Amino acid sequence: MAGAGSQRRTATQSPEGPAKVTITEIAREAGVSVPTVSRVVNGRSDVSPATRARVEDLLHQHGYQRRTTAPGARAALLDLVFNDLDSPWAVEIIRGVEEVAHEAGMGTVVSAIHDRAGDARQWMTNLRARASDGVILVTSVLSPVLHDELRRLGVPLVVIDPAGSPALDVPTVGATNWAGGMAATEHLLALGHRRIGFIEGPPRLLCSRARLDGYRAALDVAGVPVDDSLIVPGDFYHESGFTGCNRLLDLAEPPTAVFAASDQMALGAIEALRRRGLRVPEDMSVVGFDDLPEVRWSAPPLTTVRQPLSDMGKLAARAALDLARSVAPASPRIDLATELVVRASTTAPRGA
């Protein structure tokens, strides 16, 4: 009888030889994300040399066998494409997409194309090379040429918060922006405000237009005339909230409350008020839209409309995976419910 030692197998072995290690296990051991390991495995250049060396060493130690991708085969990747990545809400969407991709044993490639034709063309070149299973586009414009190329390649597309009207064959995921805009405005009206400023989002985005329409509808239902001088442009970022609020404060009759179409703009508006020696909510109430994690810690904590950004990412990822498996989505358009979250940045106007 052979010695016990000669019959003992390590935990990573099976009767057929070493057990297959997954990129999830490699990622955990390396202390990096699954998409980072996926980028190393697929020879992508967007990984730091130190991280690449650590991951490559672990791949070698575990005897990881890279797949050879036959022409037309898929690489177990989802492409998540933003116009810009310098926004906290992008992180929330990424979190949702990566959770679904991880459960499916897939990686996520995150890109920003900045609405520039050159960026979009480069992204498409990279997409062809990595043979992704699906594309999720967030508040970005995909030209008809690139859309046709995705169709030719057989890569399914899902859009979150479309810019303009997407093609009829493209599923979209969003939130009830109109209802959220109406709820925020109704809240301020119920507190006694009648002059309510509104800082818009980019008009090219359907979600921006819907929030403005909800604001207008709430005023109309309350019998309060819409004053166009109280509606100022914005782009969802802090600076435009700061600039827009200053523009409202410079009016001969400033508003007593401001509804900003994003939390970042609301925080910019609060800073504009602070620099003028005005207090929130004593001198002006402020409402935002998104419910980013940071706004519960702002001074004061921000009243806002919560949209389920992470859940939107999850739904978009599931829809993309379904399409990759030739499963049609239950609905071509999914809008998740928004919810008003009341905090300390709103109160009745002084003297009301």
Side-chain angles (χ1 to χ4, degrees):
M1 180 175 177
S6 65
Q7 297 297 316
R8 188 179 296 121
R9 297 185 179 94
T10 67
T12 57
Q13 288 183 318
S14 69
E16 291 75 28
K20 290 183 179 179
V21 67
T22 67
I23 62 172
T24 300
E25 292 163 338
I26 295 290
R28 187 180 301 114
E29 194 169 339
V32 298
S33 69
V34 171
T36 296
V37 176
S38 179
R39 286 194 285 271
V40 172
V41 169
N42 287 283
R44 291 281 303 280
S45 61
D46 49 346
V47 181
S48 72
T51 299
R52 180 182 300 280
R54 185 164 72 252
V55 172
E56 289 281 10
D57 185 54
L58 287 168
L59 292 170
H60 177 72
Q61 287 179 32
H62 288 284
Y64 183 86
Q65 296 296 313
R66 286 173 165 84
R67 289 190 310 173
T68 55
T69 303
R74 296 302 181 199
L77 291 173
L78 282 178
D79 260 67
L80 178 57
V81 186
F82 293 85
N83 183 44
D84 290 298
L85 280 169
D86 54 350
S87 172
W89 59 260
V91 175
E92 297 301 305
I93 291 175
I94 292 169
R95 182 178 290 118
V97 171
E98 286 215 304
E99 181 176 325
V100 171
H102 176 75
E103 290 171 354
M106 302 178 69
T108 307
V109 179
V110 180
S111 307
I113 58 175
H114 307 289
D115 278 347
R116 293 194 293 257
D119 287 355
R121 284 194 296 270
Q122 184 60 54
W123 166 73
M124 180 60 78
T125 299
N126 294 338
L127 178 77
R128 291 191 199 99
R130 58 180 168 259
S132 288
D133 291 81
V135 171
I136 300 168
L137 195 68
V138 187
T139 64
S140 302
V141 177
L142 192 65
S143 73
V145 172
L146 293 182
H147 183 204
D148 289 344
E149 179 65 5
L150 285 177
R151 269 198 294 237
R152 189 187 70 78
L153 295 171
V155 180
L157 171 66
V158 178
V159 177
I160 296 176
D161 276 341
S165 299
L168 294 177
D169 62 338
V170 176
T172 63
V173 177
T176 54
N177 291 287
W178 183 89
M182 189 165 189
T185 311
E186 286 178 334
H187 169 64
L188 293 170
L189 288 166
L191 291 172
H193 296 278
R194 290 298 177 268
R195 286 187 64 75
I196 302 171
F198 182 79
I199 306 176
E200 299 178 88
R204 66 186 180 84
L205 298 181
L206 296 181
C207 61
S208 298
R209 292 184 231 164
R211 292 170 200 179
L212 174 59
D213 289 344
Y215 161 84
R216 290 179 176 275
L219 293 176
D220 183 59
V221 169
V224 177
V226 175
D227 183 345
D228 287 336
S229 71
L230 294 176
I231 302 173
V232 297
D235 61 9
F236 284 163
Y237 294 100
H238 295 90
E239 292 81 359
S240 66
F242 180 85
T243 301
C245 187
N246 277 318
R247 180 169 166 177
L248 292 170
L249 291 171
D250 287 338
L251 293 173
E253 188 181 353
T256 61
V258 170
F259 169 29
S262 78
D263 284 348
Q264 288 180 278
M265 292 196 301
L267 294 177
I270 290 174
E271 177 60 16
L273 291 163
R274 186 192 68 79
R275 293 193 189 184
R276 294 207 184 196
L278 299 173
R279 298 167 300 164
V280 177
E282 293 86 353
D283 298 310
M284 186 175 289
S285 289
V286 178
V287 179
F289 201 111
D290 286 328
D291 196 28
L292 299 175
E294 65 195 80
V295 302
R296 69 192 66 180
W297 305 109
S298 61
L302 183 67
T303 294
T304 186
V305 176
R306 176 183 296 150
Q307 61 169 337
L309 294 165
S310 180
D311 288 341
M312 288 160 62
K314 291 177 187 177
L315 273 176
R318 290 181 186 127
L321 292 178
D322 282 346
L323 288 169
R325 300 174 186 126
S326 300
V327 177
S331 171
R333 173 72 189 179
I334 301 173
D335 285 323
L336 298 182
T338 52
E339 176 189 1
L340 181 70
V341 181
V342 179
R343 298 193 180 101
S345 69
T346 53
T347 189
R350 293 202 303 191

